[in-house]
Amino acid sequence: MSVDSTTDVEIQSSPPADGITLSEFAAAKVKSLLEQEGRDDLALRIAVQPGGCSGLRYQLFFDERTLDGDEIREFDGVNVVVDRMSLPYLHGASIDFVDTIEKQGFTIDNPMATGSCACGDSFH
């Protein structure tokens, strides 16, 4: 994790209808992972980056930075941060955590995605 300049940002606890949502189960998993890390100063950052076979891919990681233009939302005690370049690609996206015999991990349901690759790692 790198440290960049920080900026005061307002944390909003009730996302608008077109904002990102984090399910209760996903928030609980994030809290559990943060406890394992022994850190309470980290937020879950969600970014959209060029790459993958469909053109864009998601990145989810813990970050201690807040950058100019970041949007921060709070869900059940978990801060979710999205940079200003990724926001247009993530409006209305829902993040959940799946834990089944077949699959375990975070999932993103994004109504802004017009298609995705067969492996599910990227979208356009």
Side-chain angles (χ1 to χ4, degrees):
M1 286 171 235
S2 62
V3 178
D4 285 342
S5 62
T6 60
T7 304
D8 290 332
V9 292
E10 181 179 335
I11 299 175
Q12 300 177 15
S13 59
S14 56
D18 63 349
I20 294 172
T21 59
L22 184 71
S23 74
E24 288 182 31
F25 195 54
K29 183 62 177 179
V30 170
K31 283 182 189 177
S32 172
L33 292 170
L34 288 172
E35 287 173 7
Q36 290 175 16
E37 290 284 323
R39 305 270 308 259
D40 61 359
D41 61 329
L42 301 175
L44 178 65
R45 182 174 288 277
I46 303 162
V48 174
Q49 300 290 321
C53 48
S54 288
L56 297 170
R57 64 183 177 156
Y58 301 109
Q59 289 187 325
L60 278 78
F61 56 97
F62 292 124
D63 200 353
E64 59 193 12
R65 303 171 299 158
T66 52
L67 306 173
D68 188 32
D70 277 351
E71 182 174 305
I72 302 175
R73 304 270 181 217
E74 190 270 337
F75 300 92
D76 297 326
V78 172
N79 286 333
V80 177
V81 180
V82 181
D83 65 272
R84 68 176 163 215
M85 299 299 286
S86 298
L87 278 172
Y89 298 104
L90 294 169
H91 280 292
S94 300
I95 301 161
D96 198 3
F97 187 81
V98 176
D99 189 5
T100 66
I101 288 177
E102 297 172 345
K103 182 178 180 180
Q104 182 183 42
F106 289 96
T107 62
I108 299 175
D109 180 20
N110 186 352
M112 299 300 291
T114 57
S116 63
C117 63
C119 64
D121 289 338
S122 65
F123 70 99
H124 63 274

